[in-house]
Amino acid sequence: MSGPRYDRSKRQDQHLIGFECQACGWVSFPEEKRTCKRCGDAPAEMAEVQLAERGEIQTFVVQQYLPDDIETPQPVAIVDLPQEGEGEPARAYGLLTETDLEEIDVGTEVVARFRELFSDGERPINSFKFSVPREEKA
Amino acid sequence: MTDPHVVGAGMIDFGELYEQSFDDLLESAYLSLIENVDKGVDPSDIDAAWYGTIDIANEGSSGSAVAHATGLFETPITRVENACATGSDAFRNAAQAVKAGDAEVALVIGAEKMTDSTEGLIASAALERLWRGRGVTMPAYFGMRATRHLEEYETTREQIAEISVKNHENGTKYPHAHQQFECTVEDVKESPTVSYPLNLYDCCPVTDGACAVLVTSEERAREFTDDPIRVAGYGLASDTFQRGAPEALTNFPATRQASSQAYERAGLGPDDIDVAEVHDCFSITELITYEDLGFCEDGKGGQFVDEGRPHLDGDKPVNPSGGLLSKGHPIGATGVAQIAEIFEQLRGEAGDVQVDSPEVGLQHNIGIGRNATGAVSCVNILERP
């Protein structure tokens, strides 16, 4: 595919930045939005917020069948990433990496890791995956 | 304004129909409808058509594909695509046009050629849009609700599996169903893992199929049949877990919204529903749909199964046709086929899966788009006039 689609989203793909709706408090991550997905405010006043590196698994699955370029078994979760300051967490998909399947559960703490998500054939496309924090590994 | 009525339905046997092209499926379903209308229908009576497909076969199938398959040229034909709610939304659009008086005799036809291009589904997980569902398949999207439902409520793995057992048993009694076999809870639990916690028998098969129904006004309904079925209400809504609502981790707020709209239009509630065809693309989907449609309280979907209420002889029979799990899920055809099944049930023509004298029936789909970031639900309610 073309290059520009990644360049358009590069900043929030490479930084833990969320976009908080000033009307209702909803946090978008990593999409930079001018409309609010919760309250529908449009145009919405969105404020940049810094998200924490550590979040919590809300739910997950372990996939066995995926396109050939994605390794299996592939655990994927819905992760809540809190803000560094006050306010709601952001809720987003997270692919898990460098984690044993037995370590994964609802409520498990995970840390964001900057990793290659895929290659477009010419260059790696990098963003965040998640893993159980290393120091807590058995 | 008039009340739209369903006056005929035609369905083909679902299955792996390698010998039939996409066009063949459409033509067969259309002819089945034409032959099944009680008092007959002249093709020249049809003044508008809605065509549901997500075009998994990637044949660029637009409204003109239906004109080619049926001979209905010079007639407005609109293609509808709305994820797994495609067929039901095509029906909803036809019902709206008839209600408004803009169409008098509307064809709804849904078809999907699934077997020639299965990568059309799995490839959605290879989306190169960062964070927008890359690495998330359909079983994963629904499976995540299973993981959380098992964690948050007293739901058991066995209760989820029992839904597949029930629907496969029903499917063996329904002639159009693709997978004609029974299975046990143990079979479900021991079948290969597709996406933990869901196994193979928790998942609907890959199936080709097509179905057509005819919708007309109250004034003209008896030209076609002495036993028309009224469209009482419909609803359509979208939602996403990204909005942060806690119930979106276990359930589908889109179904709650779509069913609220349909109940309100119909002046009915969940207690009034005598039979339902709902979206069991996966076993867990049916369990949480009981809750989202208001058939039971949140978290009690498993208990609802244990009590036998959604079984063929229960007080709230769900998926007497065998559901998507047994019948198959040719996406554009699925919702239209569910309408056809409710139509048969309310007319007492459902054969070995007929439930006891239903007056009101509900049809439901919940779908996710080509990326797995959100859900869309469509609900239609039919009743004996």
Side-chain angles (χ1 to χ4, degrees):
Chain A
M1 299 300 286
S2 61
R5 65 187 343 196
Y6 308 122
D7 291 335
R8 280 201 299 271
S9 57
K10 195 185 252 174
R11 191 165 143 267
Q12 62 264 35
D13 289 337
Q14 299 184 355
H15 297 85
L16 293 170
I17 299 168
F19 303 90
E20 183 185 63
C21 173
Q22 299 305 291
C24 76
W26 175 72
V27 181
S28 179
F29 172 74
E31 270 185 297
E32 182 167 6
K33 297 289 301 167
R34 291 184 293 157
T35 54
C36 177
K37 290 193 191 187
R38 182 190 288 156
C39 71
D41 199 19
E45 188 188 337
M46 306 295 278
E48 274 190 29
V49 295
Q50 180 67 44
L51 301 175
E53 287 184 15
R54 294 196 177 200
E56 185 184 286
I57 290 178
Q58 301 301 307
T59 190
F60 72 98
V61 291
V62 183
Q63 300 180 94
Q64 300 291 347
Y65 296 95
L66 282 167
D68 293 341
D69 59 338
I70 303 178
E71 64 179 304
T72 53
Q74 173 62 62
V76 60
I78 292 174
V79 175
D80 274 7
L81 272 183
Q83 296 186 31
E84 287 287 6
E86 297 287 302
E88 294 185 30
R91 179 166 288 174
Y93 279 132
L95 292 167
L96 294 172
T97 185
E98 301 146 55
T99 296
D100 294 331
L101 298 181
E102 307 81 69
E103 297 177 296
I104 303 168
D105 211 340
V106 175
T108 300
E109 184 183 56
V110 288
V111 58
R113 303 278 187 205
F114 194 59
R115 293 289 181 266
E116 179 179 329
L117 279 197
F118 57 93
S119 168
D120 68 357
E122 293 179 6
R123 54 181 178 162
I125 305 300
N126 298 320
S127 190
F128 296 99
K129 293 187 176 182
F130 292 88
S131 70
V132 170
R134 287 205 185 88
E135 60 273 23
E136 290 173 21
K137 272 196 162 184
Chain B
M1 296 272 275
T2 178
D3 280 343
H5 285 64
V6 184
V7 292
M11 185 167 169
I12 65 170
D13 290 347
F14 284 10
E16 294 176 337
L17 308 178
Y18 291 111
E19 75 288 2
Q20 293 189 46
S21 70
F22 199 174
D23 290 344
D24 291 339
L25 300 178
L26 285 165
E27 189 177 51
S28 299
Y30 176 66
L31 288 175
S32 173
L33 168 67
I34 295 290
E35 288 159 9
N36 276 326
V37 173
D38 293 340
K39 297 182 180 177
V41 56
D42 191 306
S44 64
D45 284 334
I46 296 170
D47 60 2
W50 277 263
Y51 168 35
T53 190
I54 73 167
D55 198 16
I56 283 280
N58 198 24
E59 292 195 12
S61 198
S62 62
S64 69
V66 168
H68 281 282
T70 61
L72 291 172
F73 291 94
E74 303 175 23
T75 304
I77 305 175
T78 302
R79 178 189 157 186
V80 175
E81 193 277 334
N82 216 343
C84 293
T86 289
S88 47
D89 195 18
F91 175 80
R92 176 182 153 277
N93 274 271
Q96 284 184 314
V98 169
K99 191 177 181 69
D102 196 51
E104 288 194 8
V105 183
L107 169 70
V108 183
I109 188 162
E112 211 71 60
K113 188 73 187 153
M114 303 287 288
T115 51
D116 289 355
S117 180
T118 49
E119 74 268 19
L121 281 177
I122 193 94
S124 63
L127 277 175
E128 293 188 350
R129 261 327 234 177
L130 301 182
W131 293 89
R132 295 200 63 180
R134 178 169 174 81
V136 182
T137 58
M138 309 281 166
Y141 184 83
F142 290 93
M144 284 198 225
R145 275 71 195 172
T147 301
R148 182 81 186 197
H149 211 281
L150 286 161
E151 172 79 18
E152 194 161 319
Y153 299 115
E154 290 172 9
T155 309
T156 65
R157 182 66 183 87
E158 288 72 20
Q159 290 167 336
I160 295 172
E162 175 60 28
I163 288 169
S164 181
V165 174
K166 167 182 77 75
N167 290 354
H168 279 92
E169 187 182 337
N170 291 351
T172 63
K173 301 172 188 168
Y174 185 68
H176 298 305
H178 176 190
Q179 299 286 5
Q180 299 273 348
F181 65 86
E182 293 187 15
C183 60
T184 65
V185 167
E186 284 308 305
D187 290 336
V188 178
K189 286 172 66 181
E190 289 169 13
S191 60
T193 301
V194 172
S195 186
Y196 168 87
L198 299 181
N199 293 344
L200 185 63
Y201 286 2
D202 290 296
C203 306
C204 66
V206 175
T207 304
D208 299 324
C211 186
V213 303
L214 198 65
V215 184
T216 188
S217 62
E218 183 173 10
E219 292 73 23
R220 294 195 60 181
R222 283 180 169 73
E223 286 177 35
F224 303 99
T225 177
D226 290 329
D227 196 12
I229 297 299
R230 194 171 83 91
V231 183
Y234 41 72
L236 182 74
S238 299
D239 195 70
T240 170
F241 73 89
Q242 295 173 339
R243 301 178 77 203
E247 62 268 26
L249 294 171
T250 51
N251 289 71
F252 291 110
T255 295
R256 297 175 185 218
Q257 181 61 34
S259 60
S260 300
Q261 293 172 15
Y263 288 140
E264 189 176 327
R265 278 182 191 281
L268 298 167
D271 292 345
D272 298 311
I273 305 301
D274 299 317
V275 60
E277 288 285 336
V278 311
H279 200 86
D280 59 328
C281 51
F282 302 95
S283 49
I284 182 65
T285 320
E286 180 171 320
L287 187 145
I288 61 188
T289 297
Y290 301 147
E291 301 169 8
D292 291 335
L293 292 173
F295 292 176
C296 65
E297 289 173 33
D298 285 358
K300 301 291 187 187
Q303 188 184 325
F304 188 75
V305 179
D306 275 346
E307 292 169 354
R309 298 186 60 195
H311 290 65
L312 211 49
D313 58 357
D315 73 310
K316 196 70 105 184
V318 177
N319 286 331
S321 72
L324 284 51
L325 283 168
S326 161
K327 191 174 57 199
H329 182 20
I331 300 173
T334 294
V336 186
Q338 291 172 315
I339 294 288
E341 285 142 11
I342 293 295
F343 176 71
E344 288 177 356
Q345 285 284 350
L346 296 180
R347 285 165 37 117
E349 295 175 336
D352 291 342
V353 295
Q354 181 64 51
V355 307
D356 187 24
S357 312
E359 293 287 320
V360 181
L362 180 147
Q363 178 273 335
H364 158 267
N365 289 130
I366 180 89
I368 62 177
R370 287 292 179 107
N371 62 48
T373 47
V376 57
S377 176
C378 188
V379 171
N380 292 290
I381 297 175
L382 307 184
E383 72 174 342
R384 294 195 60 81

